[in-house]
Amino acid sequence: MTDLVGIFVFAISGALLAVRKNFDVFGMAVLAEVTALGGGLFRDLIIGAVPPAAFTNLGYFVTPLVATVLVFFLHPQVERIQRGVNVFDAAGLGLFCVTGTAKAYDYGLGLTASATLGLASAVGGGVLRDVLANEVPSLLRWDRDLYAVPAIVGAAMAALCIRFGILNPLTSTLAVLTALSLRLMALKYHWRAPRAWHRSSVTTEEPERVMP
Amino acid sequence: MTDLVGIFVFAISGALLAVRKNFDVFGMAVLAEVTALGGGLFRDLIIGAVPPAAFTNLGYFVTPLVATVLVFFLHPQVERIQRGVNVFDAAGLGLFCVTGTAKAYDYGLGLTASATLGLASAVGGGVLRDVLANEVPSLLRWDRDLYAVPAIVGAAMAALCIRFGILNPLTSTLAVLTALSLRLMALKYHWRAPRAWHRSSVTTEEPERVMP
Amino acid sequence: MTDLVGIFVFAISGALLAVRKNFDVFGMAVLAEVTALGGGLFRDLIIGAVPPAAFTNLGYFVTPLVATVLVFFLHPQVERIQRGVNVFDAAGLGLFCVTGTAKAYDYGLGLTASATLGLASAVGGGVLRDVLANEVPSLLRWDRDLYAVPAIVGAAMAALCIRFGILNPLTSTLAVLTALSLRLMALKYHWRAPRAWHRSSVTTEEPERVMP
């Protein structure tokens, strides 16, 4: 059930970007599906879990369509509650990095690889969304609040819990909440990651605005 | 044999875009291969049919190269018969959405997932083509004639025929022809899909022209 | 061991592009990993070697991170030795096209398909790097020195050696060196591939500069 919440909010972010890019309703649905399911799809292909959960669980497929319909009719209202969307997106991020790590480990990957795949399933959908929309992935941009670090911390916590045999609902929830809180604090205090040294004063790319 | 026709026309569209983007002959070949085989490759990875047909059937690999050579020497002539190319592309679209749906079902996916993969194998190559050429995928753009809907209808018809146990050469052909006709009518009457509400009067993206 | 060298130099090229695109340190790490491991990952997914080597060999994962740290602190120096980076990149290209071909054949693919996958593992990482950085893949551009041809020659030599049962360390090295030399000569003499006929005098794309 909780994963459907994560899928839903990721789908919202995909559908909203589609509206901003002036796509039609099918473009919205495609971007919603890709954002919501892309990360998990990548993880499942890597660990050999085929067909991936995205294609065997009907709820996973339908949820992004519901999000699309909602954004289609109500997008000005959805934009207005961007802050609320951000909170749910942070929850999805925390959830996916932990469950992704656990699933990869269940399929026999090492701890580092599992945590990497946990990270990839949390952020992969957003990267695919931006690539399809022909944008520089916001994950990579220095002028975006930290997104990768919270997921890395959550995935690393899950991997450590596995390592010491203490991954249970309680510690999982703790890892999810840690990632969620870090992301919310990054949003609130505009935490940024550093760029390469000697780089701060020059910009070769003109500033781009994605989010109005 | 019919699938080679679909592969050929999809490859033509890839090679033509490469010419428009001023790529060299290897870029043309890469874009032709990706456009023609990308959708089926994605489907085969999802259903676990590895190595994918694109890598086991030599004809699948050679056909896009033939299309590349043709466009390399004759592209002004090929451009001039764009209408003819569109008809064949519509035929490829109809063919792939039906065969893709049937193949996915053969590998044990549910009906909805099979139809989705049928759609993905029909439109996936074109999306990959546009991503590699650094264009907004024309599948997503509101200012393009309907492309997804004919494939959705064809895939849904195939899934329904499977559901009722009546998928045979006759009904398959009917589904292919329906998708093909819908696409041709979308081209002829410039059918468009709606964008999100309250959106019609504003454009945030400057108009882009891909097809001269 | 040699493959780590190839991974390292490919990762350097990814991290350098990230600096040029003004990405933060996590963007650098992502681009380094993708460039270094993307081609092999694609090959392993196609041949069904899951989990892919990129996720089972810890050295494969750590090496791009080392390259990222190096570029982070020393990127002006790394830029200055671009010529040296190009030599190593050519070595990586030669190495990957030969080992990729051999690995694909070991997994039961035909000779043509194996050579194609060898080519794809050599150039795939660079294509993914450029797609993520929202650039037209330099592989496809006519105004770049030949990159695909050296890899095609190397992969074809490896496939021919397999065909005649003479693929051994000596002939493999010869194939690697041939690809490497061709790439270095392409760089030195600015070999370019032709564009489609009647195309030389017109450019529809404005000139883009990626490398300053």
Side-chain angles (χ1 to χ4, degrees):
Chain A
M1 183 57 217
T2 42
D3 47 356
L4 289 187
V5 174
I7 286 173
F8 183 76
V9 291
F10 279 178
I12 292 278
S13 88
L16 281 178
L17 179 60
V19 173
R20 286 188 204 112
K21 297 285 288 189
N22 213 12
F23 294 165
D24 68 24
V25 64
F26 297 103
M28 292 172 63
V30 169
L31 224 52
E33 294 278 358
V34 163
T35 312
L37 305 177
L41 200 64
F42 175 75
R43 179 202 58 213
D44 288 352
L45 286 179
I46 295 292
I47 61 181
V50 290
F55 283 92
T56 54
N57 188 325
L58 199 58
Y60 285 17
F61 174 75
V62 172
T63 301
L65 299 183
V66 175
T68 301
V69 170
L70 202 85
V71 171
F72 184 83
F73 288 110
L74 299 174
H75 76 95
Q77 287 82 339
V78 176
E79 295 265 14
R80 216 173 300 140
I81 55 163
Q82 182 73 50
R83 186 188 294 268
V85 173
N86 278 340
V87 174
F88 282 109
D89 181 82
L93 184 75
L95 197 66
F96 282 17
C97 69
V98 172
T99 56
T101 303
K103 182 166 185 185
Y105 188 79
D106 284 346
Y107 275 77
L109 267 70
L111 285 172
T112 309
S114 297
T116 306
L117 272 183
L119 170 64
S121 42
V123 305
V127 170
L128 281 174
R129 172 198 65 205
D130 294 342
V131 165
L132 282 187
N134 204 17
E135 303 269 348
V136 173
S138 67
L139 178 74
L140 305 177
R141 302 176 57 160
W142 80 276
D143 56 351
R144 288 282 183 281
D145 302 327
L146 279 187
Y147 198 84
V149 173
I152 291 171
V153 171
M157 281 179 68
L160 283 174
C161 289
I162 292 170
R163 170 70 185 80
F164 294 108
I166 54 167
L167 189 74
N168 53 44
L170 184 68
T171 54
S172 295
T173 307
L174 196 68
V176 171
L177 289 179
T178 306
L180 163 59
S181 315
L182 282 175
R183 171 62 182 155
L184 292 181
M185 288 168 73
L187 278 171
K188 175 159 183 155
Y189 299 111
H190 297 296
W191 289 344
R192 301 273 157 89
R195 286 170 292 166
W197 284 20
H198 324 294
R199 187 67 186 165
S200 314
S201 54
V202 279
T203 47
T204 53
E205 298 291 305
E206 57 283 288
E208 291 174 295
R209 291 188 71 244
V210 186
M211 314 244 175
Chain B
M1 183 56 217
T2 41
D3 46 357
L4 289 187
V5 175
I7 286 174
F8 183 76
V9 291
F10 279 178
I12 293 277
S13 88
L16 281 178
L17 180 60
V19 172
R20 286 187 204 114
K21 297 285 289 189
N22 213 12
F23 294 166
D24 68 23
V25 63
F26 297 103
M28 292 172 62
V30 168
L31 225 51
E33 295 278 357
V34 163
T35 312
L37 305 177
L41 200 64
F42 175 75
R43 178 202 59 213
D44 288 352
L45 285 179
I46 295 292
I47 62 180
V50 290
F55 283 91
T56 54
N57 188 326
L58 200 57
Y60 284 16
F61 175 75
V62 172
T63 301
L65 299 182
V66 174
T68 302
V69 170
L70 201 85
V71 171
F72 184 84
F73 289 110
L74 301 174
H75 77 95
Q77 287 82 341
V78 177
E79 294 265 14
R80 216 172 301 141
I81 56 163
Q82 182 72 50
R83 185 187 294 268
V85 173
N86 278 340
V87 174
F88 281 109
D89 181 82
L93 184 75
L95 198 64
F96 282 18
C97 70
V98 172
T99 57
T101 303
K103 182 166 185 185
Y105 189 79
D106 285 345
Y107 275 77
L109 268 69
L111 284 172
T112 309
S114 296
T116 307
L117 272 182
L119 169 64
S121 43
V123 305
V127 170
L128 281 174
R129 173 198 65 206
D130 295 341
V131 165
L132 283 186
N134 205 16
E135 303 269 348
V136 173
S138 66
L139 179 74
L140 305 178
R141 302 175 58 162
W142 80 275
D143 56 349
R144 289 283 183 280
D145 302 326
L146 279 186
Y147 198 84
V149 173
I152 291 170
V153 171
M157 281 179 69
L160 282 175
C161 289
I162 293 170
R163 170 70 185 77
F164 293 108
I166 55 167
L167 190 74
N168 53 44
L170 184 68
T171 54
S172 296
T173 307
L174 195 67
V176 171
L177 289 179
T178 306
L180 162 59
S181 316
L182 282 175
R183 171 62 182 155
L184 292 181
M185 287 168 71
L187 278 170
K188 174 157 185 161
Y189 299 109
H190 298 296
W191 288 344
R192 301 271 158 91
R195 286 169 292 166
W197 282 20
H198 323 293
R199 186 70 187 163
S200 314
S201 55
V202 278
T203 46
T204 52
E205 298 290 303
E206 58 283 289
E208 291 173 296
R209 291 187 70 244
V210 186
M211 314 245 173
Chain C
M1 181 59 214
T2 40
D3 47 356
L4 289 187
V5 175
I7 285 173
F8 183 76
V9 291
F10 278 177
I12 292 277
S13 90
L16 281 177
L17 180 59
V19 173
R20 285 187 205 113
K21 297 286 287 191
N22 213 13
F23 294 166
D24 68 23
V25 63
F26 296 104
M28 292 171 64
V30 168
L31 224 51
E33 295 279 357
V34 164
T35 313
L37 305 176
L41 200 64
F42 175 74
R43 178 201 60 212
D44 289 353
L45 286 179
I46 295 292
I47 61 180
V50 289
F55 283 90
T56 55
N57 188 326
L58 199 58
Y60 284 16
F61 175 75
V62 172
T63 301
L65 299 183
V66 174
T68 302
V69 170
L70 201 86
V71 171
F72 184 83
F73 288 110
L74 300 174
H75 77 94
Q77 286 84 338
V78 176
E79 294 265 14
R80 215 173 301 140
I81 56 165
Q82 182 71 51
R83 185 187 294 268
V85 173
N86 277 340
V87 174
F88 281 108
D89 180 82
L93 184 75
L95 197 66
F96 282 17
C97 69
V98 173
T99 57
T101 303
K103 182 166 184 184
Y105 188 79
D106 285 346
Y107 275 77
L109 267 70
L111 284 171
T112 309
S114 297
T116 307
L117 272 183
L119 170 63
S121 44
V123 305
V127 171
L128 281 174
R129 173 198 64 206
D130 294 342
V131 166
L132 283 186
N134 205 15
E135 304 269 348
V136 173
S138 66
L139 179 75
L140 305 177
R141 300 175 57 159
W142 79 276
D143 56 350
R144 287 283 184 280
D145 302 327
L146 279 187
Y147 198 85
V149 174
I152 291 171
V153 171
M157 282 178 69
L160 282 174
C161 288
I162 292 170
R163 170 70 185 78
F164 293 108
I166 55 168
L167 189 75
N168 53 45
L170 185 68
T171 53
S172 296
T173 308
L174 196 68
V176 171
L177 289 179
T178 305
L180 163 59
S181 316
L182 282 175
R183 170 64 182 156
L184 291 181
M185 287 168 72
L187 278 170
K188 175 158 182 159
Y189 299 110
H190 296 296
W191 289 344
R192 301 270 158 90
R195 286 169 291 166
W197 283 19
H198 323 293
R199 186 68 186 163
S200 314
S201 54
V202 278
T203 46
T204 52
E205 298 291 303
E206 59 282 285
E208 291 174 294
R209 292 187 71 243
V210 186
M211 314 245 177

